[in-house]
């Protein structure tokens, strides 16, 4: 992030006819803004540095969508070539209950560039070429060199949903099947196959974004919870198996049955306050974790009774979100209401404190946390401080390496001593960030949602931590 002077509009007075407009406001040189260290002075604003991203796009769709999920597709695994196409589902938080909907999105023409983190050469003619490449990277996002538009094409079909969507998730094995948690207290399962097919088969379907929400009945409408909730997760091991947790601390287990679902009317109990998030184990088909406002994380085995197999104190405040590492299933990440997030090693949980890493960088509630699908040590975190941060837990401070990197890139900014060396990237510019997800099939791509819309981002330095997929 850079910053520069931008006089506030409120201070600009109308000029009389014939009076020259003032241009006496001095401009300050752009410099890197250090989150948590620097403060914005009056008249200053943050400006995005496009060179920090391989790809960055933002869009909004009317009402805020504070929960969404990326849909698996058949366009290929480990896609690295721009432009990209992706599919997602999101639920709205409209002003009035009848105005809400679930949106199915096809986003195509997601443009960007892949570049080396460190220039291959730093002198001679090649250095000039590197500078030219950097200039090209800073070109406008509106048009490519051949005149083609680089603005993403957004197509959407909507399905009416009564009440705000607290959380929405797509089944990993069958992405056209989605489940929504409504603020009305209902959990509903939807078949979105006709809408996804329409989007996939057409370049114009829903392109104007003004099509009305279609009326469609859910496959299942479960009203057995005694309060609304946010916790919900599909099993990655058993297609159709589902968990839903509510603000009254109750968790219900759903089992697929002949094209529908059977919901166990007797809830699983163990928390003493609202269940905020649920995650199935990526390695054990019958095991899941839950977190709660009571500050604990519980581990459950659905084959053994209705209470947790074990429970431990994870934070001194509400535990808002958890994420189970799919590439290293012994690791569970958790984010708290006090802004801290922790990494727990489940292999040593019975021996006492399983916390192997703890970070207090964020000062506002953690709203989302998720491990990368392509790198076991990398995770992304969003917070109420309007920051999305990316972390690589394998990194340690290396002063020699840092000096070499600065020499190669001609970087003169001094790294703040109070920033953790594991902090890879800070993304800002969204208001009231709520949820983020890594794209499982496009390495390095993250989508985030906030009160003011969505961002699609691929940080420039993240590719260096990913495996060489071309090898």
């Amino acid at each position: 992030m850079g910053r520069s002077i931008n006089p506030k509009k409120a201070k600009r007075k109308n000029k009389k006819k014939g009076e020259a407009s003032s241009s006496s406001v001095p401009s300050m040189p752009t410099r890197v803004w250090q989150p948590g260290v620097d403060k914005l002075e009056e008249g200053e604003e943050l400006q995005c540095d496009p060179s920090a991203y391989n790809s960055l796009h933002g869009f909004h769709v009317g009402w805020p969508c504070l929960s969404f999920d990326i849909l698996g597709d058949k366009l290929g695994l480990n896609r690295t070539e721009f432009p990209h196409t992706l599919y997602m589902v999101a639920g709205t938080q409209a002003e009035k209950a009848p105005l809400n909907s679930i949106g199915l999105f096809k986003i195509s023409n997601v443009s960007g560039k892949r570049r080396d983190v460190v220039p291959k050469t730093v002198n001679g003619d090649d250095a000039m070429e590197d500078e030219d490449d950097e200039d090209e990277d800073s070109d406008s996002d509106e048009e490519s060199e051949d005149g083609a538009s680089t603005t993403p094409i957004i197509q959407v079909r909507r399905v009416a949903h009564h009440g705000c969507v607290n959380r929405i998730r797509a089944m990993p094995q069958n992405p056209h099947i989605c489940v929504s948690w409504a603020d009305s207290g209902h959990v509903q399962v939807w078949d979105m196959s006709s809408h996804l097919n329409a989007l996939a088969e057409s370049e114009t379907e829903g392109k104007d974004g003004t099509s009305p929400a279609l009326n469609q009945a859910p496959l299942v409408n479960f009203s057995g919870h005694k309060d609304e909730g946010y916790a919900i997760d599909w099993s990655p091991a058993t297609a159709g198996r589902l968990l839903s947790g509510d603000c009254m601390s109750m968790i219900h287990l759903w089992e697929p049955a002949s094209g529908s679902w059977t919901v166990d009317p007797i809830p699983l109990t163990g928390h003493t306050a609202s269940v905020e998030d649920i995650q199935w184990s990526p390695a054990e088909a019958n095991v899941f974790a839950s977190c709660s406002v009571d500050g604990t994380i519980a581990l459950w085995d659905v084959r053994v009774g209705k209470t947790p197999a074990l429970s431990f104190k994870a934070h001194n405040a509400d535990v808002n979100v958890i994420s189970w590492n799919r590439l290293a299933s012994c690791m569970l990440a958790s984010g708290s209401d006090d802004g801290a997030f922790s990494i727990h090693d489940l292999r040593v949980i019975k021996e006492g404190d399983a916390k192997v890493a703890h970070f207090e960088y964020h000062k506002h509630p953690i709203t989302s946390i998720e491990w990368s699908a392509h790198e076991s040590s990398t995770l992304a975190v969003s917070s109420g401080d309007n920051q999305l941060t990316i972390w690589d837990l394998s990194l340690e401070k290396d002063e020699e390496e840092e000096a070499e990197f600065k020499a190669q890139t001609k970087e003169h900014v001094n790294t703040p001593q109070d920033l953790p060396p594991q902090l890879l990237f800070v993304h800002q510019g969204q208001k009231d960030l709520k949820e983020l997800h890594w794209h499982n099939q496009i390495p390095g791509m993250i989508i985030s949602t906030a009160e003011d819309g969505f961002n699609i981002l691929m940080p420039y330095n993240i590719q260096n931590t990913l495996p060489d997929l071309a090898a």
Side-chain angles (χ1 to χ4, degrees):
M1 276 295 179
R3 70 177 185 179
S4 62
I5 288 289
N6 182 42
K8 293 187 176 180
K9 292 182 180 179
K11 292 188 176 181
R12 295 176 182 169
K13 298 180 180 179
N14 294 329
K15 301 294 180 183
K16 296 178 182 178
K17 187 175 180 180
E19 184 178 352
S21 60
S22 172
S23 58
S24 60
V25 179
S27 61
M28 289 179 62
T30 300
R31 66 185 183 86
V32 173
W33 185 78
Q34 301 167 110
V37 178
D38 293 333
K39 293 183 179 180
L40 289 178
E41 303 297 335
E42 184 177 355
E44 289 184 314
E45 67 175 15
L46 291 176
Q47 293 185 344
C48 174
D49 179 3
S51 67
Y53 299 84
N54 282 348
S55 183
L56 176 61
H57 303 279
F59 64 96
H60 60 86
V61 290
W63 297 113
C65 298
L66 302 187
S67 183
F68 75 103
D69 204 4
I70 300 173
L71 306 184
D73 57 51
K74 299 178 181 179
L75 300 178
L77 300 175
N78 295 333
R79 308 199 293 270
T80 60
E81 296 299 319
F82 291 103
H84 289 295
T85 296
L86 58 98
Y87 293 85
M88 55 181 256
V89 61
T92 64
Q93 296 259 332
E95 185 179 29
K96 297 179 180 178
L99 299 177
N100 282 289
S101 64
I102 295 173
L104 275 295
F105 295 82
K106 176 185 178 182
I107 306 171
S108 53
N109 198 43
V110 179
S111 61
K113 294 185 179 182
R114 290 186 69 83
R115 299 160 296 169
D116 293 324
V117 174
V118 178
K120 294 178 181 177
T121 57
V122 292
N123 51 47
D125 294 338
D126 289 336
M128 292 299 293
E129 290 177 8
D130 287 332
E131 289 178 11
D132 290 342
D133 289 342
E134 191 63 33
D135 288 341
E136 290 174 6
D137 290 335
S138 64
D139 286 345
S140 168
D141 187 47
E142 298 300 320
E143 194 173 280
S144 64
E145 293 173 4
D146 59 5
S149 172
T150 58
T151 301
I153 298 169
I154 301 170
Q155 298 169 248
V156 59
R157 283 175 66 101
R158 293 182 173 87
V159 173
H161 184 279
H162 190 83
C164 294
V165 178
N166 289 348
R167 195 159 288 173
I168 190 162
R169 294 290 182 264
M171 189 194 299
Q173 301 87 348
N174 299 298
H176 62 279
I177 302 296
C178 304
V179 60
S180 63
W181 235 130
D183 65 355
S184 61
H186 291 209
V187 182
Q188 298 175 320
V189 178
W190 305 83
D191 183 352
M192 300 296 189
S193 56
S194 63
H195 309 293
L196 284 175
N197 290 338
L199 292 174
E201 294 168 3
S202 170
E203 298 298 324
T204 58
E205 177 71 29
K207 192 172 178 180
D208 60 1
T210 60
S211 55
L214 304 171
N215 289 317
Q216 176 179 321
L219 296 176
V220 177
N221 181 18
F222 178 63
S223 57
H225 283 284
K226 299 187 184 304
D227 197 358
E228 65 176 312
Y230 295 85
I232 201 158
D233 196 35
W234 292 102
S235 167
T238 305
R241 183 179 258 187
L242 181 67
L243 289 162
S244 56
D246 62 35
C247 294
M248 294 290 286
S249 79
M250 304 301 173
I251 300 171
H252 285 275
L253 175 65
W254 302 48
E255 296 284 6
S258 303
S260 187
W261 281 262
T262 300
V263 186
D264 190 337
I266 303 174
L268 291 86
T269 58
H271 288 293
T272 58
S274 173
V275 178
E276 297 293 279
D277 203 3
I278 287 175
Q279 286 263 295
W280 283 100
S281 166
E284 301 287 340
N286 296 294
V287 174
F288 72 92
S290 61
C291 66
S292 170
V293 167
D294 63 18
T296 68
I297 292 175
L299 297 175
W300 312 68
D301 188 328
V302 296
R303 299 166 298 184
V304 185
K306 301 285 185 180
T307 56
L310 59 91
S311 179
F312 61 95
K313 187 74 172 179
H315 291 273
N316 294 323
D318 306 1
V319 188
N320 295 334
V321 285
I322 52 176
S323 178
W324 211 317
N325 194 323
R326 286 175 286 176
L327 301 178
S329 60
C330 60
M331 296 296 174
L332 186 74
S334 61
S336 173
D337 213 47
D338 60 8
F341 70 94
S342 301
I343 312 299
H344 312 273
D345 187 341
L346 302 181
R347 294 171 298 184
V348 297
I349 198 166
K350 292 184 179 180
E351 301 172 11
D353 188 7
K355 193 178 296 181
V356 294
H358 182 75
F359 299 93
E360 297 182 354
Y361 168 81
H362 291 285
K363 306 305 179 187
H364 291 75
I366 303 299
T367 57
S368 189
I369 190 167
E370 189 169 288
W371 292 98
S372 165
H374 297 94
E375 175 54 59
S376 62
S377 63
T378 302
L379 76 163
V381 180
S382 68
S383 168
D385 60 11
N386 301 328
Q387 294 185 69
L388 185 159
T389 54
I390 302 175
W391 304 72
D392 184 349
L393 303 184
S394 68
L395 296 179
E396 295 180 0
K397 188 174 180 64
D398 188 323
E399 293 182 1
E400 208 172 289
E401 188 179 77
E402 189 175 296
E404 182 182 349
F405 180 84
K406 287 181 179 179
Q408 284 181 294
T409 59
K410 300 179 182 178
E411 176 62 78
H412 301 297
V413 175
N414 293 319
T415 305
Q417 296 302 308
D418 55 348
L419 287 184
Q422 295 84 4
L423 179 60
L424 275 182
F425 196 86
V426 177
H427 171 71
Q428 298 180 90
Q430 290 180 277
K431 180 182 178 183
D432 197 13
L433 273 158
K434 287 299 183 184
E435 197 165 282
L436 65 86
H437 296 295
W438 295 87
H439 199 298
N440 291 339
Q441 295 169 253
I442 306 177
M445 176 180 282
I446 294 175
I447 303 177
S448 57
T449 188
E451 181 184 311
D452 53 358
F454 292 91
N455 274 188
I456 301 173
L457 57 140
M458 297 181 74
Y460 157 57
N461 65 334
I462 300 303
Q463 65 176 11
N464 204 38
T465 71
L466 298 174
D468 185 358
L469 300 171

